[in-house]
Amino acid sequence: MNNDLPAGAEMGAKSHPSPPSHPPVPHTTDYENGVSAIDADYLRRGLAAIHLIQENGQAALVDTGTSSSVAGVMNALREKNLTPADVAYVFLTHIHLDHAGGAGEFMHQFPNARLVVHPRGARHMIDPARLIASATSVYGEAEFRRIYSTIRPVDPNRIIEAPDGLRLDLNGRPLLFLDTPGHARHHYCILDERYQSFFTGDTFGISYREFDVDGIEFVFPTTTPVQFDPAAAHASLERLMSYHPSYAFLTHYGRIGHLARHAAEMHDLIDVHVTLALKLRDHGPGRLAALTEELGALLLDRIINHGCKLPEEEIRSLLDLDVRLNAQGLENWLDHAGAR
């Protein structure tokens, strides 16, 4: 296997109900400084956000959802008096399909846009055949098409590779790109230098708005296969925090503050995930099920202690996909890097 290619399992390898029909304009949360979170309508509302950055009549998207996200985002742009020609960039924090599946279709719609992607991911945007084959092998062709629809290739002449330290300008708004492995080796984060905010993809974890308590978010790591690296995840978090950011914009989901608190919790939870995995390393054929059960219990307990008053069944339902993927990622880590 090419280790730079994400396996289908890290895209959500389980059966789902049909994605919801798209409203004319998807649910959108507008923040100050020209940033909006547009719901990608991926599997359920509030699961994945496409962040829109506006600056003096130009725009950029951070992550794309799937091809099924395109119609809703185009309507959201119209609501903001933006045209497809106003979009200067499409930024992919990494190439997992819930973040990048719609990239080719968006580039087809945006005549002036450049696609900015990590150097390890660029070739899979130019030729997505292996991405498609990997996901299809997990889902089956019919299920893959239902969830991800069409994945278009991107003209290599419209791609900008983003090595560590790249700076781009969005109509006068400086953006700094940092290589941030840990979740995936093809992952970068974007520092919005003027506003000291990061667009973090999955590097700063997952935080669903349903778990907010009195304005305080709950954040937990994502250890999905096949490239989870705990040491790199810790280092990437430390690097982000060295810039003393005020906010992070997470693909899953939206803006969070209180970053010093959350960074400490993320470091702790990464270590706890690893400890659980190592404890079960020699568990035998039932290891994945045991990992899934223990991770689910861990996060449920942390969320209840956070003060969340949702019924346990609802909390478990909201966590179900991520717990399964985190367990799969930890098992993959045990079988490879974790065993050495």
Side-chain angles (χ1 to χ4, degrees):
M1 176 184 289
N2 181 341
N3 287 333
D4 290 340
L5 182 67
E10 60 191 323
M11 305 167 209
K14 55 177 289 191
S15 179
H16 297 284
S18 296
S21 59
H22 299 286
V25 178
H27 177 74
T28 300
T29 304
D30 295 320
Y31 307 101
E32 63 270 21
N33 304 330
V35 177
S36 302
I38 303 171
D39 198 301
D41 283 338
Y42 177 72
L43 305 180
R44 70 167 179 85
R45 179 168 161 174
L47 180 67
I50 297 167
H51 285 102
L52 171 70
I53 311 172
Q54 300 178 72
E55 186 66 28
N56 297 321
Q58 280 196 353
L61 297 184
V62 182
D63 290 340
T64 68
T66 70
S67 297
S68 299
S69 306
V70 173
V73 171
M74 299 296 281
N75 286 331
L77 293 177
R78 281 192 288 271
E79 286 285 308
K80 296 180 179 299
N81 297 313
L82 293 167
T83 72
D86 295 326
V87 179
Y89 296 108
V90 175
F91 301 128
L92 301 180
T93 61
H94 58 302
I95 63 168
H96 294 172
L97 291 186
D98 54 330
H99 296 254
E105 186 62 34
F106 273 113
M107 292 298 291
H108 181 72
Q109 299 291 334
F110 298 152
N112 299 324
R114 304 290 296 278
L115 184 75
V116 183
V117 62
H118 193 285
R120 288 180 178 268
R123 60 198 172 102
H124 298 300
M125 295 293 99
I126 296 167
D127 180 5
R130 294 192 68 182
L131 285 175
I132 295 168
S134 178
T136 302
S137 70
V138 172
Y139 292 101
E141 185 171 353
E143 185 74 352
F144 170 81
R145 295 298 176 191
R146 183 181 69 83
I147 296 173
Y148 294 108
S149 187
T150 301
I151 298 181
R152 285 179 177 262
V154 178
D155 181 346
N157 294 317
R158 299 182 67 193
I159 289 179
I160 298 173
E161 295 190 11
D164 187 53
L166 175 73
R167 279 187 162 87
L168 292 177
D169 180 284
L170 177 63
N171 209 17
R173 185 170 183 155
L175 302 171
L176 172 66
F177 294 75
L178 300 179
D179 184 26
T180 53
H183 174 75
R185 289 192 290 273
H186 47 83
H187 200 302
Y188 64 62
C189 292
I190 308 166
L191 176 64
D192 188 345
E193 295 185 280
R194 184 185 299 164
Y195 300 110
Q196 282 301 108
S197 296
F198 271 106
F199 296 88
T200 61
D202 286 342
T203 296
F204 213 103
I206 291 171
S207 181
Y208 296 131
R209 303 283 58 81
E210 293 92 338
F211 299 146
D212 292 356
V213 176
D214 297 330
I216 305 295
E217 309 91 355
F218 177 80
V219 181
F220 63 98
T222 169
T223 63
T224 57
V226 292
Q227 295 178 355
F228 171 60
D229 180 340
H234 283 303
S236 291
L237 273 174
E238 290 174 358
R239 189 176 188 199
L240 295 183
M241 292 306 296
S242 74
Y243 287 83
H244 307 290
S246 300
Y247 295 104
F249 292 90
L250 282 56
T251 302
H252 311 289
Y253 178 98
R255 190 180 77 177
I256 63 170
H258 314 98
L259 297 188
R261 168 180 175 158
H262 294 319
E265 292 170 342
M266 281 282 291
H267 283 302
D268 176 61
L269 277 170
I270 290 168
D271 287 340
V272 173
H273 274 62
V274 168
T275 297
L276 280 177
L278 291 173
K279 182 183 75 172
L280 294 169
R281 178 167 53 189
D282 300 320
H283 195 74
R287 185 177 67 183
L288 180 59
L291 267 172
T292 304
E293 181 179 351
E294 293 215 17
L295 287 177
L298 164 71
L299 292 177
L300 176 65
D301 182 65
R302 292 288 184 105
I303 289 169
I304 290 172
N305 287 336
H306 172 64
C308 181
K309 302 301 184 185
L310 293 175
E312 287 191 14
E313 183 178 349
E314 185 173 350
I315 295 173
R316 287 186 179 276
S317 177
L318 290 166
L319 291 173
D320 181 62
L321 173 61
D322 299 301
V323 167
R324 290 175 182 271
L325 290 175
N326 277 12
Q328 291 170 14
L330 289 171
E331 183 163 63
N332 181 273
W333 175 75
L334 286 172
D335 289 340
H336 296 90
R340 294 194 292 270

